[in-house]
Amino acid sequence: MRILVSDIHKKDKNKKMNATQLIHSVPVDELTGAISVPIYQASTFVQEAPGINKGYDYARTNNPTREALEKIIAGMEGGATGIAFGSGLAAIDAVIKLLKSGDEIIAVDDIYGGAYRLFTHIFAKFGIAVNYVDTTNPENVFNAITLKTKLIWIETPTNPTLKISDIEAIARIPGQDDCLLCVDNTFASPVLQQPLLHGADIVMHSATKYLGGHSDSIAGLIVTKTEELGDKIKFIQNASGAILSPFDSWLIIRGIETLPLRMKQHSLNARIVAQFLDEHPDVAKVFYPGLPSHTNHEIAKKQSSGYGGIVSFILKDDNETAAIKFATSTKYFKLAESLGGVKSLCAHPATMTHKSIPEEIRRASGVADSLIRLSVGLEEVEDLIKDLDQALEKVKFKNLAHVS
Ligand SMILES: Cc1ncc(COP(=O)(O)O)c(C=O)c1O
């Protein structure tokens, strides 16, 4: 039996969903009245006659639990079609498969390391070239566009230096009718920023992060502006097979229900943490779009309704040893890959998330040797500040003098 999926696309597309609309866009099960979306753990669906069915035939193509999530995320982003993948990278992979050999991509220089690896080590082999530019200045994008450019890929904010690109300004760059703009919206989430409303064609999420919110699932999401584009990506997904399981779809739906509340608190805690670090004598530089000193603060203010929960910083003692000492000295900020969960995490991108990027390219894009990325969680912010303070005390130059 099909579950009732309310037609959330009928809402005013230029308006952001509020918490009430979001919570009630999660459908009630038509068959049983279950308030939580049922997990349809089925691989196939019985047909009355070949091709005559209740809307589902084989779960790689479609599954009711996954479909519920896809409609919810499409509504949140104000798009036409949502598509749920087995990981954020699987979602990126599907977008790149829209291109063909000889096409070119312009991508933000401070790109997530896994996307860089996918572009460089997989798609380059198939003749798709990537030109990395600093997209915080739309002029750089304009100057890099060639007739072969078929995709502009930006993250905003970026991982991990929190660079902000002006989505609207890039979408308006002339002469790119057949060139798609895709925004990785993982750091902001649709609660803070909706790229399609600023002119993007595709929005992508590592739902592993804020959408899931509890560090318990790997998932990726795509939302397209048009149904036509959505159909193309759905075709690619069905052909390649990187779908999200019913259980993981359910976990992401459950995470989404508290997303507005969580993003509010993540943003509040992160702002306090960023201010603390900004004033700390052992910190050389803080990256947080909510700080007025952030280079792209004004754009962030214009295109998002908050600044999120990620704060990065560089130590005065800018070297790997000091960074690793810091990252292994925190109590509440657990040293781990990933971000966006309720528990605070810290990471050292140079040796973790960004280790697949060559050193010179990494440094040139702002990811210094001692850069630490914090995912500020939902703990009491006073406890988080104390934790950072004691870990910074341990990396003071005098305290590291014995380390070779
Ligand atoms: C900004 C960004 N995009 C994409 C990804 C890839 O997502 P996943 O790990 O879910 O494959 C990540 C993962 O860290 C990310 O931070």
Side-chain angles (χ1 to χ4, degrees):
M1 183 63 65
R2 282 192 86 152
I3 51 171
L4 175 72
V5 177
S6 51
D7 191 3
I8 47 187
H9 303 299
K10 284 198 184 122
K11 83 182 182 71
D12 179 353
K13 286 212 171 136
N14 291 320
K15 258 191 168 170
K16 198 165 109 173
M17 267 188 181
N18 64 25
T20 311
Q21 289 165 327
L22 170 55
I23 287 166
H24 289 275
S25 75
V26 176
V28 170
D29 181 37
E30 201 181 39
L31 179 64
T32 63
I35 196 100
S36 159
V37 174
I39 300 168
Y40 283 87
Q41 193 65 46
S43 62
T44 194
F45 298 84
V46 176
Q47 313 196 17
E48 275 170 47
I52 302 182
N53 54 49
K54 296 179 165 65
Y56 309 96
D57 49 16
Y58 187 59
R60 175 165 28 76
T61 313
N62 206 359
N63 170 283
T65 316
R66 194 170 88 231
E67 185 184 52
L69 168 62
E70 292 173 338
K71 294 201 172 185
I72 293 163
I73 190 68
M76 289 170 80
E77 288 287 6
T81 306
I83 311 154
F85 291 84
S87 70
L89 272 170
I92 300 174
D93 179 79
V95 174
I96 310 306
K97 284 177 178 161
L98 289 166
L99 308 188
K100 59 180 191 321
S101 179
D103 288 347
E104 289 177 3
I105 302 170
I106 293 174
V108 58
D109 55 357
D110 178 31
I111 195 167
Y112 165 62
Y116 178 87
R117 183 179 51 205
L118 179 65
F119 292 173
T120 311
H121 297 294
I122 307 291
F123 284 106
K125 280 194 300 205
F126 297 103
I128 295 170
V130 185
N131 187 1
Y132 294 96
V133 304
D134 179 356
T135 58
T136 58
N137 181 356
E139 232 178 276
N140 294 338
V141 178
F142 178 77
N143 292 334
I145 285 185
T146 71
L147 289 173
K148 291 181 178 171
T149 308
K150 295 291 180 266
L151 178 68
I152 298 170
W153 186 278
I154 59 174
E155 282 173 38
T156 183
T158 58
N159 180 5
T161 63
L162 289 304
K163 281 184 182 172
I164 306 289
S165 296
D166 189 331
I167 302 169
E168 208 169 317
I170 294 173
R172 279 200 188 143
I173 291 176
Q176 43 163 318
D177 285 349
D178 61 344
C179 173
L180 299 169
L181 172 60
C182 180
V183 178
D184 182 335
N185 202 26
T186 299
F187 272 36
S189 93
V191 166
L192 302 183
Q193 177 176 277
Q194 294 167 294
L196 300 181
L197 306 188
H198 296 288
D201 301 288
I202 305 172
V203 58
M204 175 261 147
H205 286 279
S206 168
T208 311
K209 313 296 181 335
Y210 286 108
L211 290 159
H214 295 75
S215 308
D216 52 14
S217 172
I218 299 281
L221 295 169
I222 292 287
V223 180
T224 58
K225 187 186 222 159
T226 65
E227 244 176 74
E228 191 195 353
L229 193 50
D231 288 347
K232 284 185 187 166
I233 298 178
K234 262 184 178 290
F235 179 84
I236 290 167
Q237 182 186 51
N238 194 39
S240 299
I243 53 160
L244 189 64
S245 77
F247 182 58
D248 287 287
S249 299
W250 181 84
L251 281 172
I252 304 300
I253 293 171
R254 192 176 61 158
I256 283 174
E257 289 176 327
T258 56
L259 187 66
L261 201 57
R262 286 187 286 108
M263 288 316 290
K264 223 181 260 177
Q265 195 61 36
H266 280 301
S267 301
L268 187 66
N269 282 3
R271 197 189 170 100
I272 296 169
V273 163
Q275 271 161 358
F276 163 77
L277 291 170
D278 205 32
E279 287 159 18
H280 199 285
D282 295 319
V283 171
K285 185 166 183 181
V286 179
F287 303 87
Y288 186 64
L291 290 178
S293 57
H294 186 285
T295 326
N296 315 121
H297 174 68
E298 289 307 319
I299 301 166
K301 201 158 120 185
K302 182 189 82 170
Q303 75 186 9
S304 61
S305 58
Y307 306 104
I310 309 299
V311 181
S312 295
F313 65 98
I314 297 174
L315 295 167
K316 280 243 167 84
D317 192 11
D318 182 25
N319 64 72
E320 250 180 60
T321 310
I324 290 170
K325 180 73 187 158
F326 173 88
T328 53
S329 298
T330 48
K331 177 180 167 193
Y332 296 122
F333 285 89
K334 304 292 186 199
L335 177 63
E337 307 267 353
S338 204
L339 54 101
V342 296
K343 273 186 188 155
S344 291
L345 298 179
C346 72
H348 178 233
T351 55
M352 294 169 74
T353 48
H354 286 57
K355 69 169 179 268
S356 52
I357 299 182
E359 245 174 53
E360 330 75 69
I361 299 180
R362 168 178 59 76
R363 287 194 190 118
S365 71
V367 185
D369 293 355
S370 74
L371 186 133
I372 297 280
R373 185 192 71 194
L374 301 176
S375 171
V376 181
L378 303 182
E379 300 91 339
E380 299 294 335
V381 73
E382 294 77 13
D383 293 330
L384 297 180
I385 299 284
K386 271 188 215 153
D387 193 22
L388 295 172
D389 202 28
Q390 65 79 26
L392 281 167
E393 186 61 30
K394 297 204 173 98
V395 299
K396 273 192 192 304
F397 188 68
K398 66 177 168 49
N399 294 342
L400 278 181
H402 63 286
V403 180
S404 62

